[in-house]
Amino acid sequence: MNRLDAALAAIQPVLDQVSQRWGYRAFQSGLLQNVEFCDQLLQMLHAHQGISEEVRTELYGSYIGPGPGGMQAFYWLLQHDHLDRSLIRDYLFCLQTGPARSGALSEEEFMPLLHWLLEDWRGECEELVLDCLCRLLNSHAISARARCAGLRVALGDEGLPPEWRTRVAHWACRSNLNDPDLPIANEELHRAGLMECVRLGEPPEQVLDLAVAQLSGEEDELVGSTVLELLQKFPREIRSERQLEVLLQLRDSQRSGLRRRAFQLLEESQGEEWIHQGLRDRDSAVRSWAMQRAQQKKAQTA
């Protein structure tokens, strides 16, 4: 019996338990060819006590993948000094981007790994660190909340050197699509990236312009929502004329939710005429808001 077979024999109850979740009465060896099965196995092993370091090392090294279980195994291998720099980078390069997948790691599960890597990367060159960090934050194995919290930690006082932070913030909000050395940021990082630009000292109106430049004919709901949030958070730092220009642009959006919120802000800043404009909108939800506001105004003056 080789070492892997011995390691599998040592966790037979766990194998049977995962197999039953997949609809089998007991473990079938062919299941180990399925990436999702292996990831669920790794997730269960992560929480399972009583497995020796030798067995865990063999199993993690054999079945590690890009999913949440694989990332937990990756962190354990790091903690126990089983990975050198090249293997760390190879693993991060294999991570898959996209929206957070089912079972993605929570903020609490992800943060210890991020802190470990940030500490390990101290003294390394900018290109290596930022490429690895961006691939990690892009991973679909971490939740949207964990992704954004990770960005804030990386750009905080205990994270990257100050001279690197602006570059990563602009990477996250996709204002630097011409940066040839970094992958395109996961869209779930967009809002957090823009807010980090402001926190790092960029004028809110300048950051607003970065966001507005990413609006297209069929605006992305996330980009438009972030534009509106910037207008609401920093009304004193953004010229009133610029605020009006942006709100008028959003009023003509193809997205009814963005139009409704634009009408709301226009009414707050420009007056009741925008309630009547909303009554003529093509979407029933926008008209419903306008009708309710008109009735509220009428009741207040009665």
Side-chain angles (χ1 to χ4, degrees), residues 108-124:
E108 293 73 20
E109 292 169 324
F110 174 64
M111 283 304 161
L113 166 60
L114 177 62
H115 283 295
W116 195 101
L117 288 170
L118 288 171
E119 183 63 32
D120 188 62
W121 284 332
R122 294 191 188 281
E124 292 293 326

Side-chain angles (χ1 to χ4, degrees), residues 2 4 13 31 42 54 71 81 95 103 113 133 140 163 176 197 201 224-225 237 246 253 256 265 267 286:
N2 60 34
L4 179 56
L31 289 169
L42 294 178
E54 180 182 4
M71 194 169 284
D81 200 28
L95 295 177
L113 166 60
L133 173 65
H140 75 339
E163 61 272 20
N176 61 344
C197 286
S225 294
E237 293 86 351
V246 174
S253 167
S256 63
L265 292 182
E267 187 243 329
V286 178

Side-chain angles (χ1 to χ4, degrees), residues 107-176:
E107 180 180 346
E108 293 73 20
E109 292 169 324
F110 174 64
M111 283 304 161
L113 166 60
L114 177 62
H115 283 295
W116 195 101
L117 288 170
L118 288 171
E119 183 63 32
D120 188 62
W121 284 332
R122 294 191 188 281
E124 292 293 326
C125 70
E126 179 178 359
E127 297 308 322
L128 183 149
V129 172
L130 296 195
D131 187 41
C132 288
L133 173 65
C134 292
R135 292 179 185 278
L136 177 65
L137 293 177
N138 267 348
S139 171
H140 75 339
I142 59 177
S143 69
R145 180 175 176 179
R147 194 188 314 282
C148 295
L151 179 70
R152 290 191 293 272
V153 167
L155 302 187
D157 292 339
E158 301 301 319
L160 302 176
E163 61 272 20
W164 298 2
R165 295 173 189 168
T166 298
R167 182 181 177 192
V168 175
H170 280 269
W171 164 77
C173 67
R174 295 188 176 187
S175 69
N176 61 344

Side-chain angles (χ1 to χ4, degrees), residues 13 38 49 75 128-129 158 160 204 223 241 243 250 261 266:
C38 292
Q49 303 299 318
Y75 180 42
L128 183 149
V129 172
E158 301 301 319
L160 302 176
V223 176
E241 312 88 72
Q243 292 183 46
L250 290 175
R261 291 180 62 190
L266 283 165

